[in-house]
Amino acid sequence: MVDSRIKFRHLQTFVEVARQKSVMKAAGLLHVSQPAVTKTIRELEEVLGVAVFERDGRGIKITRYGEVFLKHAGAALTALRQGFDSVSQARSGDAPPIRIGALPTVSTRIMPRAMKLFLAEGTGATIKIVTGENAVLLEQLRVGDLDLVVGRLAAPEKMTGFSFEHLYSEKVVFCVRTGHPLLSRGAIFSGLNAFTVLMPTRASIIRPFVESFLIANGIAGVANQIETVSDAFGRAFVRESDAVWIISEGVVAADIAEGKLAALPVDTSATKGPVGLTMRTDAVPSMPQAILMQTIREVAGEVSPAA
């Protein structure tokens, strides 16, 4: 817990003295008297319980305790400046664009409602939403082309340098048109190979879950399959054919609720996986981005299967 006696002026004065290696120069830059600078440094040392500067001939030098504290004090001041800058940019309408990678599972279930709420905040920030396979989106996030990815948690080896915030868990479903022959059959898996199956691509994040699930239910391979991550194609093709679409529940939740598509009565709870926000660990969200992330959290809480 931060000691309440430490104020912004303590950090600002300490960092400036450390940079200038001089109380006199720091006082001039801070527009205060030298005694005021000395008094502020003494107050800080009293709170910390150690000396942060020591005499070095006619001048001063930072102590090893001061070096340790400097890293954190400098980072705290930088974060505060970035916060002030973000608010200023948002108020002036010059806020930087927010670039979001959204997997299909959240593109239809989460993002439309989240965007409506975010735009109502009037931050002035522009939004860019990119969809695609998880591996592609994470690579764009890694190199800085995206600020945030919303979707399923990637495999551990893919998460180096990233942080993940869990929002809810989601399973895959076997989706078909209403009136499909398999809806009236008891043994669904024994008859699955009689139909075209839309499978997630091999690079997609849910593919391993789907393959393991099929094997566990006696299907080593799908005879007639189409690999796709296009929800637009999948939705149109399934509605016009007897194909079976294996897809994340969130992609087709609205279609099923509206009766446009139907889910086969298959227990797919074994395919459940976490959905959430992925960011670079070194990223500091701007104010508009922080507002957007909060709206995504709120919408996820409203529409998640557990809600």
Side-chain angles (χ1 to χ4, degrees):
M1 184 175 179
V2 178
D3 195 305
S4 61
R5 290 175 294 172
I6 292 184
K7 309 299 182 183
F8 178 79
R9 63 182 176 85
H10 292 119
L11 300 180
Q12 186 181 38
T13 302
F14 165 69
V15 169
E16 201 57 59
V17 172
R19 286 173 177 167
Q20 303 302 325
K21 297 182 176 60
S22 166
V23 170
M24 182 179 68
K25 291 180 180 178
L29 290 170
L30 294 170
H31 305 291
V32 297
S33 67
Q34 292 185 50
V37 170
T38 300
K39 180 175 181 293
T40 299
I41 294 299
R42 286 176 178 170
E43 289 175 354
L44 176 63
E45 290 178 329
E46 182 180 343
V47 174
L48 294 176
V50 294
V52 292
F53 295 108
E54 59 187 8
R55 292 192 177 277
D56 183 26
R58 293 186 177 181
I60 61 172
K61 68 177 182 180
I62 195 167
T63 67
R64 64 187 183 94
Y65 294 111
E67 290 282 6
V68 172
F69 188 66
L70 180 60
K71 297 177 183 178
H72 301 285
L77 290 177
T78 297
L80 283 172
R81 291 191 186 98
Q82 289 175 336
F84 285 123
D85 289 343
S86 294
V87 172
S88 177
Q89 289 172 341
R91 291 183 63 188
S92 65
D94 294 329
I98 304 174
R99 303 158 301 174
I100 310 167
L103 294 182
T105 184
V106 299
S107 292
T108 55
R109 193 173 206 171
I110 302 295
M111 296 310 294
R113 171 70 173 156
M115 286 299 99
K116 182 179 180 181
L117 292 174
F118 175 74
L119 292 175
E121 294 287 343
T123 67
T126 56
I127 303 292
K128 177 183 179 181
I129 299 178
V130 179
T131 60
E133 293 181 340
N134 187 69
V136 175
L137 296 181
L138 288 184
E139 183 57 29
Q140 290 179 310
L141 179 64
R142 192 179 302 281
V143 301
D145 289 340
L146 292 176
D147 301 305
L148 174 71
V149 171
V150 191
R152 275 217 183 198
L153 173 64
E157 65 271 15
K158 303 292 186 182
M159 290 298 294
T160 303
F162 295 139
S163 63
F164 179 82
E165 178 185 341
H166 178 264
L167 297 176
Y168 61 93
S169 294
E170 183 178 70
K171 62 185 179 180
V172 303
V173 294
F174 286 58
C175 188
V176 295
R177 64 171 177 81
T178 56
H180 192 282
L182 285 177
L183 288 170
S184 59
R185 289 187 53 167
I188 291 174
F189 290 106
S190 62
L192 188 63
N193 271 330
F195 304 94
T196 300
V197 178
L198 300 189
M199 290 277 288
T201 61
R202 297 186 185 279
S204 69
I205 197 167
I206 64 172
R207 179 63 179 249
F209 294 91
V210 171
E211 290 181 335
S212 296
F213 180 77
L214 290 174
I215 291 172
N217 284 278
I219 301 177
V222 177
N224 186 19
Q225 65 174 274
I226 298 174
E227 294 188 4
T228 182
V229 292
S230 171
D231 55 307
F233 168 76
R235 186 172 288 107
F237 187 72
V238 168
R239 290 178 67 175
E240 297 180 6
S241 70
D242 283 339
V244 178
W245 189 13
I246 305 178
I247 189 66
S248 292
E249 185 178 28
V251 177
V252 291
D255 300 274
I256 293 173
E258 295 169 3
K260 297 176 180 177
L261 297 174
L264 292 177
V266 177
D267 180 6
T268 56
S269 56
T271 65
K272 187 173 288 188
V275 176
L277 308 173
T278 301
M279 294 181 60
R280 294 188 303 278
T281 53
D282 61 350
V284 179
S286 63
M287 188 194 73
Q289 186 176 334
I291 292 174
L292 174 59
M293 291 169 65
Q294 182 57 35
T295 63
I296 292 174
R297 294 185 188 103
E298 292 173 2
V299 174
E302 294 172 1
V303 307
S304 64

